[in-house]
């Protein structure tokens, strides 16, 4: 396994549209998944999309640590998970604001409105179809990562730029909760 170099804000691949993966069992895809998981953990992130490691494929990895889930029964904690060619459906309901960061935009956090509930379908790392309804932090992470496959970064989803800042300053000000 290897730790991959992460593309940072300003790199054009972050604004591109990723293409579907034809064969999830391809050894190169399997190696990429393993490397992306290692890279995500090394960087202390909860999600990483292939374009962030300079690969324009519809692949993302994420995890939902048990400590991050809310009381929402659909906010399911997840071990390391890969989604290949994910399809996302936003379910009805009011948008929910929550703090986000991005490994491609290091050192910053912002409050970003997202759908509170989603349904998604994808292939897992074995090529099996998975479908889930998710809420809370789980839903937020998946929306953030699927956005990366479509060239969308979280600042493009922001509506209130007053809630945007350096993680260090926001933590000092005590505003990062929720
Ligand atoms: Ni990101």
């Amino acid at each position: 396994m290897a730790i991959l170099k992460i593309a940072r804000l300003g790199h054009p691949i972050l604004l591109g549209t990723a293409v579907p993966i034809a064969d999830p069992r391809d050894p190169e895809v399997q190696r990429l998944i393993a490397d992306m998981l290692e890279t995500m953990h090394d960087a202390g992130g909860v999600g990483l999309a292939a374009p962030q490691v300079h690969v324009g494929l519809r692949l993302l990895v994420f995890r939902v640590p048990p400590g991050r889930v809310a009381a929402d029964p659909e906010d399911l904690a997840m071990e390391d998970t890969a989604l290949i060619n994910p399809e996302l459906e936003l379910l009805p309901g009011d948008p929910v604001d929550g703090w986000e960061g991005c490994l491609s935009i290091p050192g910053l956090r912002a409050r970003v409105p997202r759908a509170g509930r989603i349904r998604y379908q994808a292939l897992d790392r074995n090529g099996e179809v998975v479908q889930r309804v998710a809420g809370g932090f789980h839903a937020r992470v998946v929306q953030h990562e699927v956005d990366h496959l479509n060239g969308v970064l979280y600042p493009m989803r922001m509506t209130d730029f007053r809630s945007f800042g350096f993680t260090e300053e926001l933590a000092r000000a005590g505003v990062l909760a929720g």
Side-chain angles (χ1 to χ4, degrees):
M1 297 212 292
I3 293 169
L4 305 170
K5 185 168 164 55
I6 296 175
R8 296 198 300 172
L9 183 65
H11 194 296
I13 196 163
L14 295 175
L15 300 178
T17 300
V19 302
I21 288 176
D23 177 12
R25 302 307 305 259
D26 183 327
E28 287 199 18
V29 171
Q30 292 294 311
R31 189 172 62 212
L32 178 60
I33 291 169
D35 289 348
M36 285 173 58
L37 286 167
E38 187 176 12
T39 303
M40 175 181 79
H41 281 280
D42 176 70
V46 292
L48 187 66
Q52 291 183 275
V53 292
H54 306 87
V55 178
L57 293 174
R58 300 190 80 76
L59 164 65
L60 62 88
V61 298
F62 74 105
R63 63 195 176 101
V64 180
R68 298 296 289 271
V69 301
D72 180 347
E74 290 174 340
D75 195 354
L76 305 168
M78 302 287 288
E79 303 284 333
D80 289 351
T81 303
L83 299 181
I84 296 164
N85 303 337
E87 290 171 38
L88 176 63
E89 181 189 353
L90 307 184
L91 298 177
D94 291 333
V96 179
D97 280 336
W99 289 99
E100 295 187 19
C102 181
L103 294 177
S104 294
I105 312 174
L108 294 165
R109 292 282 191 286
R111 273 176 81 81
V112 182
R114 298 283 185 185
R117 293 182 78 224
I118 62 171
R119 180 184 292 119
Y120 62 89
Q121 181 173 315
L123 300 177
D124 67 13
R125 62 194 300 177
N126 301 313
E128 306 289 332
V129 176
V130 292
Q131 190 184 66
R132 291 186 194 100
V133 171
F137 185 72
H138 185 141
R140 177 170 299 278
V141 173
V142 171
Q143 287 173 82
H144 177 118
E145 299 309 330
V146 170
D147 265 356
H148 276 299
L149 306 181
N150 298 316
V152 176
L153 301 167
Y154 78 74
M156 303 176 190
R157 298 288 190 194
M158 289 175 61
T159 53
D160 181 358
F161 280 82
R162 292 173 302 178
S163 301
F164 189 28
F166 290 102
T167 310
E168 198 183 335
E169 295 292 353
L170 294 165
R172 188 176 293 151
V175 297
L176 270 184

